[in-house]
Amino acid sequence: MTSKDDDRHPSPSTPLTKPSCGPCAAPRASYAEGAAATGAHERTVARRVERMLGTGRIRFTASLLHEYIGTGVAAQLAIRCAPGHLHDTARALARRPDTYSVEVATGPAAVFVELTVPDHRELLSVVDGPIAGLAGVVGVETQLLLTLLLTANDWAPYDDEPTAVRRAVSQGTPLPAPLPTDELDEQLVALLKEDARMSTTRLARELRVGETTARRRLSRLMGSHVLHLRLHAEPEVLGFPIEARFRLAVPQRGLDATLRALGREPEVPSLALASGRYNVLDYSSHRSMEELHDFSSRAFGAADGIATETALLIHSYKRAGATTL
């Protein structure tokens, strides 16, 4: 007889439900906290999460968001490739340590890349050198990310309330002030990248600081919006197999209203202001093509003077700094 808390070994292709992915959104939460938040039995939560971690369906990632703390130059590249070169180009770009995401999508600019480099001189060197020199690359369009508004930290499709950052964007109020970070913070985040659930005792030992200091530093980072400490999983695993990139050319007079409206859309996990004609970069995730159509009609149908370029994602080679080849 199957116990009431048995999750019956779901197929690897089964999308996660709220009881499954709820605790994953808070990597350092205990299984008891996850069970209380989702209404599932603690053993079910532990068994399901550990199995998905073991099979690679999910993993946790940690990084400091350079766009928020103002270190380095973040850019998005839209790369056009000659026929037959998409796969090899995307793989080569995903192997670069300075790239954060690499995706192949529909449209003339078939490979989209997000990367961070130390300064503008290095950006020119990277784009005009090793990237432009890849076999099959026939064109590169570069946009600087000027203001990062929403990230995957703010995408919680099963939560009832928006994050503080999403609420601020949707209301048009200023984002929280960036948190100053130092070398100890960077070392702590590097340890969390290895193991997001590493105990505070071990963090303190690895950092060679007192446990109180480690706990205070961790709490400070987790209470800010500069630390990306989240579940890493392809959106289809969460039940959102359709992903799209939107590049919007928004007149200045309608920019604030457009950003507020997009901030209210739960399907939008990423939103940024960028240089160039397409001054708003938007990323959306959906359960079906019908939902994508409804979103597009709702978000852009009545917009005045906005030019929209849409690209459907075909395959992700790197996401949140983790390769998914």
Side-chain angles (χ1 to χ4, degrees), residues 142-209:
T142 305
Q143 290 181 271
L144 296 183
L145 298 182
L146 304 178
T147 304
L148 186 62
L149 299 171
L150 296 176
T151 72
N153 275 0
D154 305 300
W155 188 58
Y158 293 106
D159 286 2
D160 297 326
E161 295 292 330
T163 64
V165 172
R166 182 177 292 276
R167 185 178 295 109
V169 172
S170 67
Q171 296 174 351
T173 56
L175 295 178
L179 180 74
T181 58
D182 57 22
E183 185 177 352
L184 183 60
D185 292 318
E186 294 175 358
Q187 292 172 355
L188 191 156
V189 172
L191 291 172
L192 293 175
K193 189 172 183 178
E194 295 178 10
D195 179 5
R197 299 179 65 84
M198 186 179 294
S199 69
T200 306
T201 300
R202 186 181 167 196
L203 285 172
R205 185 169 65 249
E206 295 287 341
L207 294 170
R208 298 182 180 180
V209 298

Coordinates of all heavy atoms in Angstrom, one line a residue, residues 142-209:
T142 N 25.3 44.8 -30.2 CA 25.6 44.9 -28.8 C 24.7 46.0 -28.2 O 24.6 47.1 -28.7 CB 27.1 45.3 -28.6 OG1 27.9 44.3 -29.3 CG2 27.5 45.3 -27.1
Q143 N 24.2 45.6 -27.0 CA 23.4 46.6 -26.2 C 23.9 46.5 -24.8 O 24.1 45.4 -24.2 CB 21.9 46.2 -26.2 CG 21.2 46.4 -27.5 CD 19.7 46.0 -27.4 OE1 19.3 44.9 -27.6 NE2 18.9 47.0 -27.1
L144 N 24.1 47.7 -24.2 CA 24.5 47.7 -22.8 C 23.2 47.7 -21.9 O 22.2 48.3 -22.3 CB 25.2 49.1 -22.5 CG 26.5 49.3 -23.2 CD1 27.2 50.6 -22.7 CD2 27.5 48.1 -22.9
L145 N 23.3 46.9 -20.9 CA 22.2 46.8 -19.9 C 22.4 48.0 -18.9 O 23.3 48.0 -18.1 CB 22.2 45.5 -19.1 CG 22.0 44.3 -20.0 CD1 22.0 43.0 -19.2 CD2 20.7 44.3 -20.8
L146 N 21.5 49.0 -19.0 CA 21.6 50.2 -18.3 C 21.0 50.1 -16.9 O 21.6 50.5 -15.9 CB 20.9 51.4 -19.0 CG 21.4 51.6 -20.5 CD1 20.6 52.7 -21.1 CD2 22.9 51.9 -20.5
T147 N 19.8 49.5 -16.8 CA 19.2 49.3 -15.5 C 18.5 47.9 -15.5 O 17.7 47.7 -16.3 CB 18.1 50.4 -15.2 OG1 18.7 51.7 -15.3 CG2 17.5 50.2 -13.8
L148 N 18.9 47.1 -14.5 CA 18.3 45.8 -14.3 C 17.1 46.0 -13.4 O 17.3 46.4 -12.2 CB 19.3 44.8 -13.8 CG 18.8 43.4 -13.7 CD1 18.5 42.8 -15.0 CD2 19.9 42.5 -13.0
L149 N 15.9 45.7 -13.8 CA 14.7 45.9 -13.0 C 14.2 44.6 -12.4 O 13.9 44.5 -11.2 CB 13.6 46.5 -13.9 CG 13.9 47.9 -14.5 CD1 12.9 48.3 -15.5 CD2 14.1 48.9 -13.4
L150 N 14.0 43.5 -13.2 CA 13.6 42.2 -12.7 C 14.5 41.1 -13.1 O 15.1 41.2 -14.2 CB 12.2 41.9 -13.2 CG 11.0 42.8 -12.8 CD1 9.7 42.4 -13.5 CD2 10.8 42.8 -11.3
T151 N 14.7 40.2 -12.2 CA 15.5 39.0 -12.5 C 14.7 37.7 -12.1 O 13.6 37.8 -11.6 CB 16.8 39.0 -11.7 OG1 16.6 38.7 -10.3 CG2 17.5 40.4 -11.8
A152 N 15.4 36.6 -12.3 CA 14.7 35.3 -11.9 C 14.4 35.3 -10.4 O 13.5 34.6 -9.9 CB 15.6 34.1 -12.2
N153 N 15.1 36.1 -9.6 CA 14.8 36.2 -8.2 C 13.4 36.7 -7.9 O 12.8 36.4 -6.9 CB 15.8 37.2 -7.5 CG 17.1 36.6 -7.1 OD1 17.3 35.4 -7.3 ND2 17.9 37.4 -6.5
D154 N 12.9 37.4 -8.9 CA 11.5 38.0 -8.8 C 10.5 37.2 -9.5 O 9.3 37.7 -9.6 CB 11.6 39.5 -9.3 CG 12.6 40.3 -8.6 OD1 12.6 40.4 -7.4 OD2 13.5 40.7 -9.3
W155 N 10.8 36.1 -10.0 CA 9.8 35.2 -10.7 C 9.4 34.1 -9.8 O 10.2 33.2 -9.6 CB 10.4 34.7 -12.0 CG 9.4 33.9 -12.9 CD1 8.2 34.5 -13.4 CD2 9.4 32.6 -13.3 NE1 7.6 33.5 -14.1 CE2 8.3 32.3 -14.1 CE3 10.4 31.6 -13.2 CZ2 8.0 31.1 -14.7 CZ3 10.1 30.3 -13.7 CH2 8.9 30.1 -14.5
A156 N 8.2 34.1 -9.3 CA 7.7 33.1 -8.4 C 6.3 32.8 -8.8 O 5.3 33.3 -8.2 CB 7.8 33.6 -7.0
P157 N 6.1 32.0 -9.9 CA 4.8 31.8 -10.4 C 3.8 31.1 -9.5 O 2.6 31.2 -9.7 CB 5.1 30.9 -11.6 CG 6.4 30.2 -11.3 CD 7.2 31.2 -10.5
Y158 N 4.3 30.5 -8.4 CA 3.4 29.8 -7.5 C 3.1 30.6 -6.2 O 2.4 30.1 -5.4 CB 3.9 28.4 -7.2 CG 3.8 27.5 -8.4 CD1 5.0 27.1 -9.0 CD2 2.6 27.0 -8.9 CE1 5.0 26.3 -10.2 CE2 2.6 26.1 -10.0 CZ 3.8 25.8 -10.6 OH 3.8 24.9 -11.7
D159 N 3.8 31.7 -6.1 CA 3.6 32.5 -4.9 C 2.4 33.4 -5.0 O 2.1 33.9 -6.1 CB 4.9 33.4 -4.6 CG 6.0 32.6 -4.1 OD1 5.9 31.3 -4.0 OD2 7.1 33.1 -3.9
D160 N 1.8 33.7 -3.9 CA 0.6 34.6 -3.9 C 1.0 36.1 -3.9 O 0.2 36.9 -4.4 CB -0.2 34.3 -2.6 CG -0.8 32.9 -2.6 OD1 -1.1 32.3 -3.7 OD2 -0.9 32.3 -1.5
E161 N 2.1 36.4 -3.4 CA 2.5 37.8 -3.4 C 3.8 38.1 -4.2 O 4.7 37.2 -4.2 CB 2.8 38.3 -1.9 CG 1.5 38.2 -1.0 CD 0.5 39.3 -1.4 OE1 0.9 40.3 -1.9 OE2 -0.7 39.0 -1.3
P162 N 3.9 39.2 -4.8 CA 5.1 39.6 -5.6 C 6.3 39.9 -4.6 O 6.1 40.2 -3.5 CB 4.7 40.8 -6.4 CG 3.7 41.5 -5.5 CD 2.9 40.3 -4.9
T163 N 7.5 39.8 -5.1 CA 8.6 40.2 -4.3 C 8.6 41.7 -4.2 O 7.9 42.5 -4.9 CB 10.0 39.8 -5.0 OG1 10.1 40.5 -6.3 CG2 10.0 38.3 -5.3
A164 N 9.4 42.2 -3.2 CA 9.5 43.7 -3.0 C 10.0 44.4 -4.2 O 9.5 45.5 -4.5 CB 10.4 43.9 -1.8
V165 N 10.9 43.8 -5.0 CA 11.4 44.4 -6.2 C 10.4 44.5 -7.2 O 10.2 45.6 -7.9 CB 12.7 43.7 -6.7 CG1 13.1 44.3 -8.0 CG2 13.8 43.8 -5.7
R166 N 9.6 43.4 -7.5 CA 8.6 43.4 -8.5 C 7.5 44.4 -8.1 O 6.9 45.1 -8.9 CB 8.0 42.0 -8.6 CG 6.9 42.0 -9.7 CD 6.3 40.6 -9.9 NE 7.3 39.7 -10.5 CZ 7.5 39.6 -11.8 NH1 6.9 40.4 -12.7 NH2 8.4 38.8 -12.3
R167 N 7.2 44.5 -6.8 CA 6.2 45.5 -6.4 C 6.6 46.9 -6.7 O 5.9 47.8 -7.1 CB 5.9 45.3 -4.9 CG 4.8 46.2 -4.4 CD 4.5 46.0 -2.9 NE 3.9 44.6 -2.7 CZ 4.6 43.7 -2.1 NH1 5.9 43.9 -1.6 NH2 4.1 42.5 -1.9
A168 N 7.9 47.2 -6.4 CA 8.5 48.5 -6.7 C 8.4 48.9 -8.2 O 8.0 50.0 -8.5 CB 9.9 48.6 -6.2
V169 N 8.7 47.9 -9.0 CA 8.7 48.1 -10.5 C 7.3 48.4 -10.9 O 7.0 49.3 -11.7 CB 9.3 46.9 -11.2 CG1 9.1 47.1 -12.7 CG2 10.8 46.8 -10.9
S170 N 6.3 47.6 -10.4 CA 4.9 47.7 -10.9 C 4.3 49.0 -10.4 O 3.4 49.5 -11.0 CB 4.1 46.5 -10.4 OG 4.0 46.5 -9.0
Q171 N 4.8 49.5 -9.3 CA 4.3 50.8 -8.8 C 5.1 52.0 -9.2 O 4.7 53.2 -8.9 CB 4.2 50.7 -7.2 CG 3.3 49.7 -6.7 CD 3.4 49.5 -5.2 OE1 4.3 50.1 -4.5 NE2 2.5 48.7 -4.6
G172 N 6.2 51.8 -9.9 CA 7.0 52.9 -10.3 C 7.8 53.6 -9.3 O 8.2 54.8 -9.4
T173 N 8.0 52.9 -8.1 CA 8.8 53.5 -7.0 C 10.3 53.0 -7.2 O 10.6 52.0 -7.8 CB 8.2 53.0 -5.7 OG1 8.2 51.6 -5.6 CG2 6.8 53.5 -5.5
P174 N 11.2 53.7 -6.5 CA 12.6 53.4 -6.7 C 12.9 52.0 -6.1 O 12.3 51.5 -5.1 CB 13.3 54.5 -5.8 CG 12.3 55.6 -5.8 CD 11.0 55.0 -5.8
L175 N 13.9 51.3 -6.8 CA 14.3 50.0 -6.3 C 15.1 50.2 -5.0 O 15.6 51.3 -4.7 CB 15.2 49.4 -7.3 CG 14.5 49.0 -8.7 CD1 15.5 48.4 -9.6 CD2 13.4 48.0 -8.4
P176 N 15.2 49.2 -4.2 CA 16.1 49.3 -3.0 C 17.5 49.7 -3.4 O 18.0 49.3 -4.4 CB 16.0 47.8 -2.4 CG 14.8 47.2 -3.0 CD 14.6 47.8 -4.3
A177 N 18.1 50.4 -2.5 CA 19.5 50.9 -2.7 C 20.4 49.7 -2.8 O 20.3 48.7 -2.1 CB 19.9 51.8 -1.6
P178 N 21.4 49.7 -3.7 CA 22.3 48.6 -3.8 C 23.1 48.4 -2.5 O 23.4 49.3 -1.8 CB 23.3 49.0 -5.0 CG 22.5 50.0 -5.7 CD 21.7 50.7 -4.7
L179 N 23.4 47.1 -2.2 CA 24.1 46.8 -1.0 C 25.6 46.8 -1.3 O 26.0 46.1 -2.2 CB 23.6 45.4 -0.5 CG 24.3 44.9 0.8 CD1 23.7 45.6 2.0 CD2 24.0 43.4 0.9
P180 N 26.4 47.5 -0.5 CA 27.8 47.5 -0.7 C 28.4 46.1 -0.4 O 27.9 45.5 0.6 CB 28.4 48.5 0.3 CG 27.2 49.4 0.6 CD 26.0 48.5 0.5
T181 N 29.2 45.5 -1.2 CA 29.8 44.2 -1.0 C 31.3 44.3 -1.0 O 31.9 45.2 -1.5 CB 29.4 43.2 -2.0 OG1 29.8 43.7 -3.3 CG2 27.8 43.0 -2.0
D182 N 31.9 43.3 -0.3 CA 33.4 43.3 -0.3 C 33.9 41.9 -0.6 O 33.1 41.0 -0.9 CB 33.9 43.8 1.1 CG 33.3 42.9 2.3 OD1 32.9 41.8 2.0 OD2 33.3 43.5 3.4
E183 N 35.2 41.6 -0.4 CA 35.8 40.4 -0.7 C 35.2 39.2 0.1 O 35.0 38.1 -0.4 CB 37.3 40.4 -0.5 CG 38.0 39.2 -1.0 CD 39.5 39.3 -0.8 OE1 40.0 40.4 -0.5 OE2 40.3 38.3 -1.0
L184 N 34.9 39.5 1.4 CA 34.3 38.4 2.2 C 32.9 38.0 1.7 O 32.6 36.8 1.6 CB 34.2 38.9 3.6 CG 33.6 37.8 4.6 CD1 34.5 36.6 4.7 CD2 33.5 38.5 6.0
D185 N 32.1 39.0 1.2 CA 30.8 38.6 0.6 C 31.0 37.8 -0.6 O 30.3 36.8 -0.9 CB 30.1 39.9 0.2 CG 29.7 40.7 1.4 OD1 29.2 40.1 2.4 OD2 29.8 42.0 1.4
E186 N 32.0 38.1 -1.5 CA 32.3 37.4 -2.7 C 32.7 35.9 -2.4 O 32.3 35.0 -3.0 CB 33.3 38.1 -3.5 CG 32.9 39.4 -4.1 CD 34.0 40.2 -4.8 OE1 35.1 39.6 -4.9 OE2 33.7 41.3 -5.3
Q187 N 33.5 35.8 -1.3 CA 33.9 34.4 -0.9 C 32.8 33.6 -0.4 O 32.6 32.4 -0.7 CB 35.0 34.5 0.2 CG 36.3 35.1 -0.3 CD 37.3 35.4 0.8 OE1 37.0 35.2 2.0 NE2 38.5 35.8 0.5
L188 N 31.9 34.3 0.3 CA 30.7 33.6 0.9 C 29.8 33.1 -0.3 O 29.3 32.0 -0.3 CB 29.9 34.5 1.8 CG 28.8 33.9 2.7 CD1 28.6 34.8 3.9 CD2 27.5 33.8 1.9
V189 N 29.6 34.0 -1.3 CA 28.7 33.6 -2.4 C 29.4 32.5 -3.2 O 28.7 31.6 -3.7 CB 28.5 34.9 -3.3 CG1 27.8 34.5 -4.6 CG2 27.7 35.9 -2.6
A190 N 30.7 32.5 -3.3 CA 31.4 31.4 -4.0 C 31.1 30.1 -3.3 O 30.9 29.0 -4.0 CB 32.9 31.7 -4.1
L191 N 31.1 30.1 -2.0 CA 30.8 28.8 -1.3 C 29.4 28.4 -1.5 O 29.1 27.2 -1.6 CB 31.1 29.1 0.2 CG 32.5 29.2 0.6 CD1 32.6 29.6 2.1 CD2 33.3 27.9 0.4
L192 N 28.4 29.4 -1.5 CA 27.0 29.0 -1.8 C 26.8 28.5 -3.2 O 25.9 27.7 -3.4 CB 26.2 30.3 -1.5 CG 26.1 30.8 -0.1 CD1 25.3 32.1 -0.1 CD2 25.5 29.8 0.8
K193 N 27.7 29.0 -4.1 CA 27.6 28.4 -5.5 C 27.9 27.0 -5.5 O 27.3 26.2 -6.3 CB 28.5 29.2 -6.4 CG 28.3 28.9 -7.9 CD 29.1 29.9 -8.7 CE 28.8 29.6 -10.2 NZ 29.6 30.6 -11.0
E194 N 28.8 26.6 -4.6 CA 29.2 25.1 -4.5 C 28.1 24.3 -3.8 O 27.8 23.2 -4.2 CB 30.5 25.0 -3.8 CG 31.7 25.6 -4.5 CD 33.0 25.4 -3.6 OE1 32.9 24.7 -2.6 OE2 34.0 26.0 -4.0
D195 N 27.5 24.9 -2.8 CA 26.5 24.2 -2.0 C 25.6 25.3 -1.4 O 25.9 25.9 -0.4 CB 27.1 23.3 -1.0 CG 26.1 22.6 -0.1 OD1 24.9 22.7 -0.4 OD2 26.5 21.9 0.8
A196 N 24.4 25.5 -2.0 CA 23.5 26.6 -1.5 C 23.0 26.3 -0.1 O 22.6 27.2 0.6 CB 22.4 26.7 -2.5
R197 N 23.0 25.0 0.3 CA 22.5 24.6 1.6 C 23.6 24.4 2.6 O 23.4 23.8 3.7 CB 21.6 23.4 1.5 CG 20.4 23.6 0.6 CD 19.6 22.3 0.4 NE 19.0 21.9 1.7 CZ 17.8 22.4 2.1 NH1 17.2 23.3 1.4 NH2 17.3 22.0 3.3
M198 N 24.8 24.9 2.3 CA 25.9 24.7 3.3 C 25.6 25.3 4.6 O 25.1 26.4 4.7 CB 27.2 25.4 2.7 CG 28.5 25.1 3.5 SD 29.9 25.9 2.8 CE 30.1 25.0 1.2
S199 N 25.9 24.6 5.7 CA 25.5 25.1 7.0 C 26.3 26.4 7.4 O 27.4 26.6 6.9 CB 25.8 24.0 8.1 OG 27.2 23.8 8.2
T200 N 25.8 27.2 8.3 CA 26.5 28.4 8.7 C 27.8 28.0 9.4 O 28.8 28.7 9.3 CB 25.6 29.2 9.7 OG1 24.3 29.4 9.0 CG2 26.2 30.5 10.0
T201 N 27.8 26.9 10.1 CA 29.0 26.5 10.8 C 30.1 26.2 9.8 O 31.2 26.6 10.0 CB 28.7 25.2 11.6 OG1 27.7 25.4 12.6 CG2 30.0 24.7 12.3
R202 N 29.8 25.5 8.7 CA 30.8 25.2 7.7 C 31.2 26.5 7.0 O 32.4 26.7 6.6 CB 30.3 24.1 6.7 CG 31.4 23.7 5.8 CD 30.9 22.7 4.8 NE 31.9 22.5 3.7 CZ 31.7 22.0 2.6 NH1 30.5 21.4 2.3 NH2 32.6 21.9 1.6
L203 N 30.2 27.3 6.7 CA 30.6 28.6 6.0 C 31.6 29.4 6.8 O 32.6 29.9 6.3 CB 29.3 29.4 5.8 CG 28.3 29.0 4.7 CD1 27.0 29.8 4.8 CD2 28.9 29.2 3.4
A204 N 31.3 29.4 8.2 CA 32.3 30.2 9.0 C 33.6 29.5 9.0 O 34.7 30.2 9.0 CB 31.7 30.2 10.5
R205 N 33.7 28.2 9.0 CA 35.0 27.5 9.0 C 35.7 27.7 7.7 O 36.9 28.0 7.7 CB 34.7 26.0 9.2 CG 36.0 25.2 9.3 CD 35.8 23.8 9.8 NE 35.0 23.0 8.8 CZ 33.7 22.6 9.0 NH1 33.1 22.9 10.1 NH2 33.1 21.9 8.0
E206 N 35.0 27.7 6.6 CA 35.6 27.9 5.3 C 36.1 29.3 5.1 O 37.2 29.6 4.5 CB 34.7 27.5 4.2 CG 34.3 26.1 4.1 CD 35.4 25.2 3.6 OE1 36.3 25.7 3.0 OE2 35.3 23.9 3.8
L207 N 35.4 30.3 5.7 CA 35.7 31.7 5.6 C 36.7 32.1 6.6 O 37.2 33.2 6.6 CB 34.5 32.5 5.7 CG 33.4 32.4 4.6 CD1 32.1 33.1 4.9 CD2 34.0 33.0 3.3
R208 N 36.9 31.2 7.6 CA 37.8 31.5 8.7 C 37.4 32.8 9.5 O 38.1 33.7 9.8 CB 39.3 31.7 8.2 CG 39.8 30.5 7.6 CD 41.3 30.6 7.2 NE 41.8 29.4 6.5 CZ 43.0 29.3 6.1 NH1 43.9 30.3 6.1 NH2 43.4 28.1 5.5
V209 N 36.1 32.8 9.8 CA 35.5 33.9 10.6 C 34.6 33.2 11.6 O 34.3 32.0 11.6 CB 34.6 34.9 9.7 CG1 35.5 35.6 8.7 CG2 33.5 34.1 9.1

